Amino acid sequence: MKDILLRSLSGLLYVVLLIFVLTSGSQHALFALFFVFGIISLIEFKKLIQLKSIVPYFIFAILYFVFGYWQLALNSTTGLVEATQILMVLTIFVELLLIKDLFSHKTIPLFATKRYIITTFYLSSGFVFMVLIANFYEPYNPEILLACFILVWVNDTFAYLIGKNFGKQKLFEKISPKKTVEGFLGGLLFACIASYFISKFTDTPNFTFNSWLILSIIISVFGTLGDLIESKFKRQAGVKDSGAIMPGHGGLLDRLDSMIFASPFIYLFLRILQYVS
């Protein structure tokens, strides 16, 4: 009972803090929160891949302040549109390679150069794109980022409940034995249902129900892949959780892995939607 209470309280604190900042209307509060989240996640991830260098912290700070602060806090994209697109392409390319490694029966190669590439174009840039999603439509409108987190939570919750009660076919048994195909499909279904209600209660430019529906599919698919990739990193490291900052839940990276991985694909979808509108 004590463990359940502790798990519930730590999870509630995380959700309340995130919702409070995303609904506060303060760009600087969001920027500061995700900077702290990024540093903590980077600390946890570096332990998983056994990287002791402090260089990734400098790279994260540079990317976050140049791409995040300039466009979010200063509300300016001057000179950064092309650079952001290049960062997006590099990030998606690296994540596609991680997906390839996921389907390999071997371990994810972690030679020195690849560790820096992964910390830069998987983790650090993931936080950059989360911040950019909140400022994609001017003026500052973080409700789309909040909606993305809600879709992640709905997907994860129903994937767990349906997988636990009805799951039979394993999704990636050697990486995450508890994940099932039925759970994945259940999470996807309820995320799609949630997208309908989100479309009714949000007023985001160029967003129809179809837009939210596509976004829910992107989040479910790439969020699940992000969760599985982090699970493979943890399995290689021989640990259950990425950290212990959230009692009963593990590390902060365990809570953010889906959004970190899905964020560049979400940003790409927003760019495509903007282009065709």
Side-chain angles (χ1 to χ4, degrees), residues 9 32 41 58 72 76 196 211 213 217-218 227 236 271 273:
L9 288 175
S41 298
F58 290 105
L72 176 65
S76 172
Y196 170 77
S211 304
L213 181 63
I217 295 171
I218 291 172
D227 193 349
Q236 286 184 211
R271 293 301 301 263
L273 194 63

Side-chain angles (χ1 to χ4, degrees), residues 126-191:
F127 279 95
V128 169
F129 285 110
M130 276 191 268
V131 170
L132 294 182
I133 288 167
N135 198 49
F136 191 83
Y137 294 107
E138 296 182 9
Y140 172 68
N141 181 12
E143 71 174 14
I144 188 170
L145 182 60
L146 176 59
C148 288
F149 272 104
I150 291 173
L151 288 172
V152 168
W153 297 335
V154 170
N155 177 75
D156 290 351
T157 299
F158 283 96
Y160 170 77
L161 292 175
I162 294 175
K164 182 178 181 180
N165 292 284
F166 305 103
K168 293 181 180 180
Q169 182 67 39
K170 299 298 182 181
L171 189 61
F172 274 89
E173 187 172 10
K174 292 184 178 180
I175 297 174
S176 186
K178 294 182 180 180
K179 282 186 171 56
T180 63
V181 173
E182 293 83 358
F184 167 71
L185 294 176
L188 174 61
L189 172 64
F190 278 93

Side-chain angles (χ1 to χ4, degrees), residues 88 91-92 95 122-133 145 148 215 218-219 222-223 256-270:
M88 179 186 69
T91 301
I92 290 176
E95 293 195 347
Y122 156 61
L123 195 143
S124 297
S125 60
F127 279 95
V128 169
F129 285 110
M130 276 191 268
V131 170
L132 294 182
I133 288 167
L145 182 60
C148 288
L215 191 58
I218 291 172
I219 289 173
F222 289 103
L256 290 170
D257 53 3
S258 295
M259 269 301 294
I260 289 171
F261 195 83
S263 61
F265 295 97
I266 296 170
Y267 185 81
L268 174 62
F269 174 67
L270 296 180

Side-chain angles (χ1 to χ4, degrees), residues 185-241:
L185 294 176
L188 174 61
L189 172 64
F190 278 93
C192 290
I193 294 173
S195 70
Y196 170 77
F197 293 99
I198 289 174
S199 71
K200 296 298 182 182
F201 292 99
T202 56
D203 186 23
T204 303
N206 302 325
F207 258 69
T208 63
F209 165 64
N210 288 336
S211 304
W212 284 112
L213 181 63
I214 295 171
L215 191 58
S216 69
I217 295 171
I218 291 172
I219 289 173
S220 293
V221 172
F222 289 103
T224 300
L225 287 170
D227 193 349
L228 287 167
I229 287 168
E230 200 232 345
S231 294
K232 189 162 185 176
F233 279 120
K234 289 189 292 185
R235 186 164 290 275
Q236 286 184 211
V239 297
K240 180 182 178 182
D241 300 312

